[in-house]
Amino acid sequence: MMDKTFEPAAVEARISKAWDEAGAFKAGRGAEPGAEPYCIVIPPPNVTGSLHMGHALNNTLQDVLCRFERMRGKDVLWQPGTDHAGIATQMVVERKLAAENKTDRRTMGREAFLEEVWRWKEESGGTIVNQLRRLGASCDWSRERFTMDEGLSAAVLKVFVGLHKQGLIYRAKRLVNWDPKFQTAISDLEVLQVEKTGSFKWERGGEEPFDAAKLDKVLNKDPNGHLYYFDYPIEGDPTSFITVATTRPETMLGDTGIAVHPDNEKLGHLIGRNAILPLVGRIIPIVPDEYADPEKGTGAVKITPAHDFNDFEVGKRHKLDIVNILDGEARIMLAGNEEFLAGTQPEAETLALDGLDRFAARRAVVGLMAARGLLAKVEPNTHTVPHGDRSDVVIEPWLTDQWYVDVKPLAERSIKAVRDGRTKFTPENWTKVYYDWLENIEPWCVSRQLWWGHQIPAWYGPDGEVFVAESEAAAQALAVGHYGGPVELKRDEDVLDTWFSSALWPFSTLGWPEETAELKRYYPTATLVTAFDIIFFWVARMMMMGLNFMDEVPFKDVYIHAIVRDEKGAKMSKSKGNVIDPLTLVDKYGADALRFTLAAMAAQGRDIKLATSRVEGYRNFATKIWNAARFAELNGCLRAEGFDPASVKQPLNRWILSEAAQAAEEIAAGIPSFKFNEAAGAAYRFVWNQFCDWYLELAKPVLQGDGVDAAARAETQATVAYVIDLICQLLHPFMPFLTEELWAQKAEAGAPRKLAAGDASLVCLTRWSDLAALKDAAAEAEIGFVVDLISDIRSVRSEVNVPAGTQAPLVLVNASAATRATIESWRPMIERLARVSDIAFEAAAPAQSAQIIVRGEVAALPLAGLIDLDAERSRLAKELGKLDQDIMVVEKKLGNPDFMARAPEEIVEENRDRKAAAEARKLKIQEALTRLS
């Protein structure tokens, strides 16, 4: 006997254990002989991570694909693993050491610190894997990989050395995103742009003198958010100045030029002359460059090549000196700084800035410029300031020696592969984003000043000569060849960017550089499912590395899913307090409810606005399915020996089997084409609407009535049992726990299951049913008409406010013979479910009736005496007027450029939703008025 209710918490762990014990998800399990391989590599979550809603969406969609293709008999491998997450993991362990009052990593030394990290990884690094398993991820967990395991580390060494031999890896001094707290270069993905606006305002010649103390007070709260205007004297003309504006005054100490647009009429006469850098005395040229916008600021731009990415490029174009004035902790570095001191006459107060924190120096520089009368004004300015996503400190563009990959030649092959159709993006619009980035790609900085990660395989000789090799012994052999004998070598202390090892993921996880059977079988992989924000950092780099080292694309399809927002359309963030924890939803509603919600809302190119109520709604869906199965049990619906669905005779049974065939076809079309919402929608409509709401209701007289033909009842009971098994299969990719539990519960319910292929003990290993032969146009025409007629009558009654308990007559106008026959066959059911008092056939519709068109037939509901028609028309007209007013108000807002520019994205989206809802309601009201006219 089935339990009264479905309790996910009581089922999910047990089902997961059954899958594990059966090895249900091992590579190739359940595949047909000679099956086509289907491989997905999981985007490896950080080993430090916990499941967030993005993970939940991403892995739900991957799991839907893998479960579906496994049921279709393909040789499926969903390859799992985690990323070592260099900076995040090092930060976690350093915090742990601090909390335990242990020594810091630099005092411990590299070897001891790395032992601590590995210890932490073994104890705590499996959190997110366990959370993914709770979600139902059907990965081959026996093949779980880690980006720093022995095999993947060997792949990283081989790729680095290989790229170096190709002349594609080199060491150079360039600007990087520098995190002064962690003292390492970081990638663009790890930089957050934070908007800042100050509040201090002052202008020379105004009523108030410059108040340094007041500015200090403002900058102590937040050092960012202002624009400072400085006057630089023109060389040879001490009474003439060129005014520049900056948001980072301290960087002026490293200025080596000033840019003016060549067409700038106001300042063009100064091009070719020199300015004198205040406080420093450096002579700097005024150069023509289109980077300087005449309409922005003063039209003149101070150029600091060592501390600004755009300035670095301007500096290269004009061969300007590069002067670094910050150390690795973002402190002013002047003493002994030969680049700074060369050709300068710095004032004593300037040299006294040495060692100051950059923001303290900011205040000091502004004060010094003000004291010399060279500060023209200070004004609040809204601009974005780069912050480290983990350190939360302001990131500095900083000039330092790093390792780079020349990715331009690799990018060209990656572009061609997509243009040739070897890899396809869905939605297609992301292809342009991919092209744009690769066509304008810059060298990739791959070194990081961390300890946790793949240490760069480069060794330095006594004179700085570098030897790149896969081992120290191999490097020593190169050194002997260079020096003529053995020398002491020192290994580069930096590690590789985490994205470097991730770029190898599709082939390194399959065993490369060894020529494994898995590599031969599953590469290239079939599909990659990922988010749009790592197209550059991961997808493109996997393409480059796969083509370079495997001479083949790493995946044939890339599906880019949208992001999950809160129910109002706002991006989830801890600061907003609107983050929804997926595990909280799993605990409350079950994994299946969350999974189905995400799949049902995963429309291509449309962000998901997630409301807890939607998850609750799909929990109710699971409950409805469970109740339907209990109804079947209570009504003797068991699998029957010899039951052939293609041979059923009752129109109602033929209809539900036809609808099942249609649903199976739509699901099978939707999932492989990444139309998850359409596939889930088809499954939902069939199960909730057609099976639970209509079929079981229409079947009750046969199942429960007296004097029913025994053969009709037996056929209906067998059909119900058969369709419940089908539902388990059709819904399984979306709701694996519920369907696996139902499949087990129904295992002994009647005759043994006879499946064409697959393992009948677990629904996840059964074969997807081919139901095309069960499509039945005649049954659909008959039962479909009855369902549509009852539905439309209910809708009209609601629209025109017919009281719920009131029965109304129904008139069929000029009905065809087939429709008359259908009505007579189903008259009692129509009268009961549509609250119809009588059904008549007439040549014309009665007066004062609401007319309904159902599949070309005209039905009429006489309303005289049931409602006050005039009052109802008045009510509807009044509601229509209010809707018109509401729509006009919203349209005015959405048509206002100022509102669209200033309103938060979620407010704009909310207004669009209000307009769409009002327009839909307006259409319904207009239809109701038309019926009453």
Side-chain angles (χ1 to χ4, degrees), residues 404-425:
Y404 290 89
V405 179
D406 178 10
V407 286
K408 195 72 175 174
L410 305 178
E412 289 167 359
R413 285 192 72 184
S414 301
I415 292 169
K416 187 176 187 302
V418 175
R419 290 200 195 282
D420 291 347
R422 292 162 65 190
T423 294
K424 178 185 176 186
F425 280 82

Side-chain angles (χ1 to χ4, degrees), residues 457 488 490 691 843 904:
E488 183 178 349
K490 183 180 179 183
F691 181 73

Side-chain angles (χ1 to χ4, degrees), residues 488-554:
E488 183 178 349
L489 296 179
K490 183 180 179 183
R491 187 168 185 178
D492 195 309
E493 292 189 354
D494 290 352
V495 300
L496 285 165
D497 176 13
T498 299
W499 294 102
F500 191 90
S501 51
S502 298
L504 321 182
W505 192 248
F507 55 92
S508 64
T509 53
L510 298 176
W512 190 91
E514 301 299 322
E515 294 183 9
T516 63
E518 291 85 356
L519 185 66
K520 185 177 180 181
R521 177 67 174 153
Y522 295 110
Y523 190 94
T525 67
T527 303
L528 179 74
V529 179
T530 190
F532 70 90
D533 54 351
I534 53 175
I535 291 175
F536 316 135
F537 301 98
W538 192 43
V539 179
R541 288 168 178 168
M542 285 190 287
M543 288 288 287
M544 290 190 279
M545 294 302 177
L547 285 162
N548 193 59
F549 288 95
M550 296 294 296
D551 200 31
E552 181 56 275
V553 296

Side-chain angles (χ1 to χ4, degrees), residues 355-425:
L356 275 186
D357 172 77
R358 55 186 163 166
F359 298 129
R362 178 170 298 180
R363 297 192 293 273
V365 165
V366 174
L368 291 173
M369 291 294 282
R372 285 151 182 74
L374 297 176
L375 177 64
K377 66 176 176 177
V378 182
E379 62 185 14
N381 180 263
T382 300
H383 58 274
T384 57
V385 179
H387 284 65
D389 67 343
R390 291 184 175 86
S391 64
D392 198 34
V393 300
V394 175
I395 298 303
E396 286 291 339
W398 198 54
L399 191 66
T400 179
D401 288 307
Q402 302 286 345
W403 287 91
Y404 290 89
V405 179
D406 178 10
V407 286
K408 195 72 175 174
L410 305 178
E412 289 167 359
R413 285 192 72 184
S414 301
I415 292 169
K416 187 176 187 302
V418 175
R419 290 200 195 282
D420 291 347
R422 292 162 65 190
T423 294
K424 178 185 176 186
F425 280 82

Side-chain angles (χ1 to χ4, degrees), residues 235-276:
E235 183 187 30
D237 187 358
T239 61
S240 295
F241 301 89
I242 186 168
T243 304
V244 298
T246 180
T247 58
R248 300 158 65 212
E250 69 282 4
T251 63
M252 70 163 289
L253 303 173
D255 286 358
T256 59
I258 296 173
V260 171
H261 195 283
D263 298 332
N264 189 319
E265 295 179 1
K266 181 181 176 183
L267 300 176
H269 66 285
L270 295 175
I271 292 173
R273 299 189 65 179
N274 295 326
I276 301 172

Side-chain angles (χ1 to χ4, degrees), residues 3 13 206 224 319 365 433 435 567 604 636-637 685 766 784 864 893 928:
D3 291 339
N224 300 293
K319 297 182 173 57
V365 165
V433 176
Y435 289 151
E567 62 183 307
Q604 290 184 10
C637 299
R685 284 191 302 276
T766 60
K893 277 187 181 180

Side-chain angles (χ1 to χ4, degrees), residues 236 257 292 323 357 401 410 442 570 728 755 846 856 883 915:
V323 177
D357 172 77
D401 288 307
L410 305 178
E442 294 290 327
C728 289
L755 302 174
L883 286 168
K915 180 173 179 277

Side-chain angles (χ1 to χ4, degrees), residues 406-684:
D406 178 10
V407 286
K408 195 72 175 174
L410 305 178
E412 289 167 359
R413 285 192 72 184
S414 301
I415 292 169
K416 187 176 187 302
V418 175
R419 290 200 195 282
D420 291 347
R422 292 162 65 190
T423 294
K424 178 185 176 186
F425 280 82
T426 304
E428 199 275 333
N429 60 291
W430 291 111
T431 307
K432 184 178 185 303
V433 176
Y434 171 83
Y435 289 151
D436 286 348
W437 190 70
L438 287 176
E439 287 166 353
N440 298 282
I441 200 164
E442 294 290 327
W444 174 17
C445 175
V446 294
S447 47
R448 297 290 181 268
Q449 290 62 56
L450 302 170
W451 285 356
W452 173 244
H454 298 98
Q455 192 170 355
I456 288 174
W459 285 261
Y460 298 95
D463 58 355
E465 185 70 25
V466 64
F467 303 97
V468 173
E470 291 181 42
S471 66
E472 186 171 2
Q476 187 63 252
L478 293 174
V480 168
H482 178 76
Y483 294 110
V487 295
E488 183 178 349
L489 296 179
K490 183 180 179 183
R491 187 168 185 178
D492 195 309
E493 292 189 354
D494 290 352
V495 300
L496 285 165
D497 176 13
T498 299
W499 294 102
F500 191 90
S501 51
S502 298
L504 321 182
W505 192 248
F507 55 92
S508 64
T509 53
L510 298 176
W512 190 91
E514 301 299 322
E515 294 183 9
T516 63
E518 291 85 356
L519 185 66
K520 185 177 180 181
R521 177 67 174 153
Y522 295 110
Y523 190 94
T525 67
T527 303
L528 179 74
V529 179
T530 190
F532 70 90
D533 54 351
I534 53 175
I535 291 175
F536 316 135
F537 301 98
W538 192 43
V539 179
R541 288 168 178 168
M542 285 190 287
M543 288 288 287
M544 290 190 279
M545 294 302 177
L547 285 162
N548 193 59
F549 288 95
M550 296 294 296
D551 200 31
E552 181 56 275
V553 296
F555 21 72
K556 297 164 189 170
D557 279 293
V558 179
Y559 177 66
I560 305 295
H561 61 71
I563 64 173
V564 184
R565 298 176 178 271
D566 73 9
E567 62 183 307
K568 294 182 178 178
K571 194 170 183 179
M572 292 186 192
S573 71
K574 290 179 181 177
S575 61
K576 290 181 180 178
N578 64 344
V579 173
I580 302 174
D581 181 355
L583 294 176
T584 299
L585 297 179
V586 169
D587 289 339
K588 188 170 183 180
Y589 302 113
D592 289 323
L594 175 61
R595 288 168 57 106
F596 200 90
T597 303
L598 294 172
M601 299 182 76
Q604 290 184 10
R606 189 189 310 154
D607 288 347
I608 292 172
K609 291 192 282 188
L610 183 65
T612 303
S613 59
R614 286 294 294 266
V615 185
E616 184 178 8
Y618 288 121
R619 189 274 312 273
N620 297 341
F621 178 45
T623 300
K624 183 136 184 156
I625 297 165
W626 188 262
N627 289 341
R630 287 187 71 244
F631 172 86
E633 182 179 71
L634 294 170
N635 284 276
C637 299
L638 307 174
R639 283 186 304 278
E641 189 70 46
F643 174 74
D644 179 7
S647 300
V648 298
K649 295 181 171 55
Q650 298 299 312
L652 180 62
N653 295 331
R654 286 166 32 221
W655 172 74
I656 197 61
L657 292 169
S658 181
E659 292 300 320
Q662 182 63 32
E665 182 180 292
E666 291 177 20
I667 295 166
I671 292 176
S673 58
F674 312 114
K675 296 177 180 178
F676 299 99
N677 61 313
E678 293 182 10
Y684 182 89

